[in-house]
Amino acid sequence: MPRVRRAGLATIALVGALALVPTFTIAGTANAGATTLGGADPSVIKVGGLYVAAKSVDGGVAVRTASTLAGIAAAPKRQVWNDTGNLGEVWAPEIVYHEGRYHIYFSAGRSAAHRMYHISSTSPDTGYGAATKVALPADKWAIDGVPFTYQGQRWFVWSGWSGDTNVEQNLYIARMSSPTATTGGRYVISQPREPWERVVGNPYINEAPEPLLDPQGRLHLVYSANGSWSSKYCLAELRLRAGGDPTYVWDWYKSNGCLFGSYAPNMMPGWDPTLYVDGPGHNTFVLERGDIATSPPSGNRFPTMYHAVAKGTPYSWSARYWYIGSAVWWGSVTYSRANVPGATTDTGFGLKFFE
């Protein structure tokens, strides 16, 4: 995207009372809620009274189930898929429950060969079959894909390359026709072109999109920016304008900085950096069935999970843990932009994140 003018302090109003979700600590994290589960890219949903988490482990995908969110850390891992076909690195499984089945989407491959794959079962932690490649438009490098339903249409959003080389990671969206196929084209909806998205990179990165509906029914995509190998990794978001077309890039308004991060110069005005962790990113909203129709209303904080490194620990991929945090809808947040089609500002709900 062309550069967007950074806004002044957003107009913000807290909507409803705040109720803390339970947190659990490990040494060095103070008030941050760590699950003590090492690794990256959490994906957790709630189905009835069961929390279900998917994680890349042992060259494949494992699922953990627990009766509480914090209980996931101690839950036994059940390997549900192994890379018997030697696809390569397995990254960032994303689990949802749709039409009576658990669906797990993950990226697998080596270097430029990374593509999205799918497995499914009627049981959360057993009975998954062979992986099927997700047929995405253009068949380019793709990671961090997740499906969702919006206005009666099934969609798939992911991080990928425009061509066949790693110039930058963009966010793309396409309509889905089945759990493993899309219809029509792919549409770019975000590129890492803002100064605060280009502090760490080359390639510069937009990845890990997570959809959510706000209390007005508007679609949001929270995503991670800057290199995940850096403490400047952070969460930002796109907000679709009221009545907007999800496939039209200029109907999306981008936050004017990070909404959750540890590097103060990158934060959106009015949003504070983290106190207890470095480089928070790649979050999951703990939604019922992973369905955005169950997105929380305005009011109390709601649970989220993210990966990060405890402050005081040298930042590295191997030092990442899953953390329990929370978020709240924040009213009357204005995002500003310039030199692009459409209105220069958009006001609506934004998100505040808490460790």
Side-chain angles (χ1 to χ4, degrees):
M1 288 183 181
R3 290 183 61 181
V4 177
R5 175 176 57 83
R6 287 181 67 91
L9 182 65
T11 303
I12 53 180
L14 181 60
V15 182
L18 300 182
L20 290 173
V21 298
T23 60
F24 297 81
T25 62
I26 60 173
T29 63
N31 291 340
T35 66
T36 70
L37 187 60
D41 310 331
S43 178
V44 185
I45 63 174
K46 189 171 184 285
V47 182
L50 193 68
Y51 291 89
V52 185
K55 191 174 186 292
S56 174
V57 65
D58 298 334
V61 178
V63 169
R64 291 173 169 85
T65 63
S67 59
T68 65
L69 187 56
I72 288 170
K77 66 179 181 182
R78 301 185 185 277
Q79 201 79 6
V80 298
W81 181 81
N82 288 295
D83 185 16
T84 56
N86 196 28
L87 292 172
E89 301 157 328
V90 178
W91 293 345
E94 188 81 25
I95 188 167
V96 298
Y97 184 78
H98 182 63
E99 295 183 341
R101 298 187 68 87
Y102 292 87
H103 301 265
I104 299 177
Y105 293 84
F106 59 91
S107 173
R110 293 181 179 86
S111 188
H114 268 276
R115 298 295 189 273
M116 291 302 306
Y117 292 86
H118 166 268
I119 56 176
S120 73
S121 175
T122 57
S123 172
D125 56 5
T126 188
Y128 290 84
T132 300
K133 183 180 173 183
V134 181
L136 295 178
D139 190 27
K140 302 297 184 183
W141 188 91
I143 66 169
D144 297 348
V146 59
F148 64 96
T149 300
Y150 177 65
Q151 295 185 340
Q153 171 65 54
R154 198 70 171 159
W155 300 87
F156 198 75
V157 62
W158 72 98
S159 176
W161 299 349
S162 174
D164 297 318
T165 56
N166 194 3
V167 177
E168 62 184 2
Q169 285 178 223
N170 306 319
L171 299 184
Y172 293 93
I173 195 168
R175 293 177 175 86
M176 297 190 82
S177 55
S178 78
T180 58
T182 55
T183 182
R186 68 169 183 165
Y187 301 89
V188 64
I189 55 175
S190 182
Q191 295 172 279
R193 302 290 176 83
E194 300 307 305
W196 52 270
E197 296 177 296
R198 299 174 71 85
V199 177
V200 174
N202 197 13
Y204 300 105
I205 287 173
N206 283 179
E207 64 185 10
E210 289 292 326
L212 198 66
L213 287 181
D214 73 22
Q216 295 177 325
R218 294 177 62 178
L219 180 62
H220 297 241
L221 288 172
V222 173
Y223 69 94
S224 299
N226 292 302
S228 64
W229 55 90
S230 163
S231 63
K232 296 176 178 63
Y233 201 51
C234 72
L235 295 181
E237 78 150 349
L238 302 173
R239 180 175 65 210
L240 188 67
R241 74 169 181 84
D245 177 357
T247 68
Y248 181 54
V249 62
W250 303 123
D251 279 352
W252 292 95
Y253 285 77
K254 183 176 288 191
S255 58
N256 296 120
C258 300
L259 302 182
F260 193 43
S262 57
Y263 183 58
N266 276 9
M267 300 303 294
M268 178 162 161
W271 271 248
D272 297 323
T274 52
L275 296 175
Y276 308 109
V277 300
D278 281 331
H282 201 127
N283 80 303
T284 181
F285 295 107
V286 187
L287 301 179
E288 186 72 30
R289 303 181 304 280
D291 182 0
I292 66 170
T294 70
S295 296
S298 60
N300 292 347
R301 295 186 191 181
F302 49 89
T304 184
M305 293 189 76
Y306 58 94
H307 76 237
V309 172
K311 279 195 182 296
T313 301
Y315 199 94
S316 68
W317 282 347
S318 62
R320 295 176 296 186
Y321 278 83
W322 288 17
Y323 287 83
I324 299 171
S326 60
V328 68
W329 289 114
W330 208 257
S332 301
V333 178
T334 297
Y335 297 153
S336 300
R337 64 188 189 185
N339 303 318
V340 299
T344 58
T345 62
D346 180 82
T347 300
F349 278 100
L351 287 161
K352 284 267 189 176
F353 291 89
F354 301 86
E355 297 172 79

